[in-house]
Amino acid sequence: MDVAGLATANPVWVGSSELTMTLDGLLACIDAGAGAVVAKSVNESAAARRQLDIADYAFVSWDGRVRPPGAARPGDGLLNRSGLAQVDLDHWLGTLATAVARGAPRDCPVLGSITLGDPAAAARIGRAMAAVVPAVELNIGAPHGREARAVRQLTEVDGVGEAVRTVRDAVDVPLFVKLPGQASDVVALARAARSAGADAVGLVGRYPGFLPDLDGGAVLGSWGAWSSPGCLPMSLYWVSKAFSALDVPLVGTNGARSAADVLRFLASGARAVEVVTALWVGGPAVIGAMVAGVAKYLAGRDFDEFVGSAVAGTREYAEVSPLPAPAWLPYTARWTSSGR
């Protein structure tokens, strides 16, 4: 299969995170069977690298219990504060080149990633990356952009178009653009990115988050970025809407913890799915389980026909026929029968 001309062994990709910040981490994901691996983001800002010194992570259960990383469980959400890779660009390019060489025979491309600071600087970094990686991801949806001055989250069409165009002009390999989920019209952002030269669009970045600890403070002691299984329908909303409106390859992210979740992304219109938090919880072995589960389900099915298959029969509200009985009736009946 391919995504925007990028050959990949399967649609289960590993997204950019601290887990892909070292050569060992990159190789572990490749060896575990990932279809592609997105390396940890970099940019030109020393402040963005220093922010990694205050990185912290809290896993939150469905009933609000907070657990440290070593005690995380599969259904937990992740609230974190993060920064960018603390590496010299030349050294990082060498790391990327080594990982690319490991992944190429397995059809596991390794993508370089840039979290936007200054567009002109991102273009310079992208040009250097394009000499060693088969594709570059430009992340303009980083949730930390609302809190950290060293990175930016773009939520307006003009800003997206300008940033993508600037990097596109400098990069001669496929350009993947990752967008935020918290914007008035994410489809409009995707259209702007495509028009400015994006070869594929990633939907969607994690959401800003905040959680009081009820002991006089906040979990992590600050705001952060949030992802959980509960984010899945929200991410699939924008993937399905973009699939319906645009002709652009989509990469889904934010909410996939299992093979079934990956399949839901594909059925909503994504051609590949980036996973991160599932690896924080279960380690690289999670990748193999997801790949096997997806392959088993898709065996005998046409991949291209499956992509977006759930969208074809989905109707606008105005097109939905009245139900035989009001769906709300059983709920209100319980109140009536209790004498309220």
Side-chain angles (χ1 to χ4, degrees):
M1 57 169 290
D2 77 274
V3 181
L6 193 68
T8 174
N10 64 71
V12 181
W13 292 14
V14 178
S16 172
S17 77
E18 285 81 335
L19 302 174
T20 61
M21 192 167 62
T22 65
L23 179 59
D24 285 346
L26 292 166
L27 298 183
C29 293
I30 294 168
D31 293 346
V37 179
V38 184
K40 177 66 172 174
S41 295
V42 298
N43 76 5
E44 77 286 355
S45 171
R49 294 190 289 275
R50 286 194 300 270
Q51 190 177 310
L52 191 66
D53 293 334
I54 62 167
D56 202 359
Y57 316 87
F59 289 83
V60 185
S61 69
W62 65 271
D63 58 353
R65 285 176 290 174
V66 178
R67 295 188 264 258
R73 298 182 184 178
D76 289 352
L78 172 61
L79 182 70
N80 86 313
R81 187 176 57 240
S82 186
L84 302 188
Q86 296 179 330
V87 291
D88 172 82
L89 181 59
D90 288 340
H91 175 78
W92 188 232
L93 294 176
T95 298
L96 293 176
T98 301
V100 167
R102 178 74 149 259
R106 307 167 189 235
D107 283 335
C108 177
V110 175
L111 284 68
S113 179
I114 306 164
T115 292
L116 185 68
D118 173 65
R124 291 193 296 271
I125 295 170
R127 183 182 292 112
M129 280 186 173
V132 298
V133 298
V136 171
E137 179 186 85
L138 175 65
N139 184 2
I140 57 179
H144 302 292
R146 292 176 176 266
E147 307 302 326
R149 297 178 181 178
V151 298
R152 296 173 63 190
Q153 182 190 79
L154 301 183
T155 57
E156 301 297 332
V157 166
D158 290 346
V160 169
E162 178 185 357
V164 173
R165 194 173 298 109
T166 299
V167 178
R168 171 77 281 171
D169 289 344
V171 172
D172 58 2
V173 296
L175 179 64
F176 289 61
V177 176
K178 188 173 183 179
L179 297 173
Q182 194 172 52
S184 60
D185 190 346
V186 176
V187 174
L189 301 186
R191 182 179 289 109
R194 179 63 159 173
S195 297
D199 296 292
V201 171
L203 300 171
V204 291
R206 291 182 298 144
Y207 299 95
F210 181 75
L211 186 66
D213 63 14
L214 302 184
D215 289 323
V219 174
L220 302 183
S222 73
W223 291 268
W226 173 252
S227 178
S228 77
C231 291
L232 182 65
M234 300 160 70
S235 301
L236 298 182
Y237 177 89
W238 288 118
V239 170
S240 63
K241 286 291 188 178
F243 180 80
S244 298
L246 306 173
D247 180 19
V248 58
L250 302 174
V251 178
T253 186
N254 192 357
R257 299 290 186 90
S258 66
D261 293 342
V262 172
L263 289 164
R264 287 188 173 97
F265 264 110
L266 300 180
S268 299
R271 293 189 62 82
V273 182
E274 292 181 8
V275 296
V276 174
T277 307
L279 274 68
W280 279 101
V281 176
V286 170
I287 299 170
M290 286 188 178
V291 171
V294 170
K296 181 178 179 180
Y297 183 88
L298 292 178
R301 291 179 168 88
D302 183 278
F303 179 82
D304 291 328
E305 290 183 1
F306 184 74
V307 170
S309 57
V311 181
T314 302
R315 292 163 289 176
E316 300 290 341
Y317 282 12
E319 300 170 342
V320 177
S321 299
L323 300 176
W328 46 263
L329 190 59
Y331 299 95
T332 58
R334 287 187 301 179
W335 287 87
T336 303
S337 63
S338 66
R340 298 183 184 182

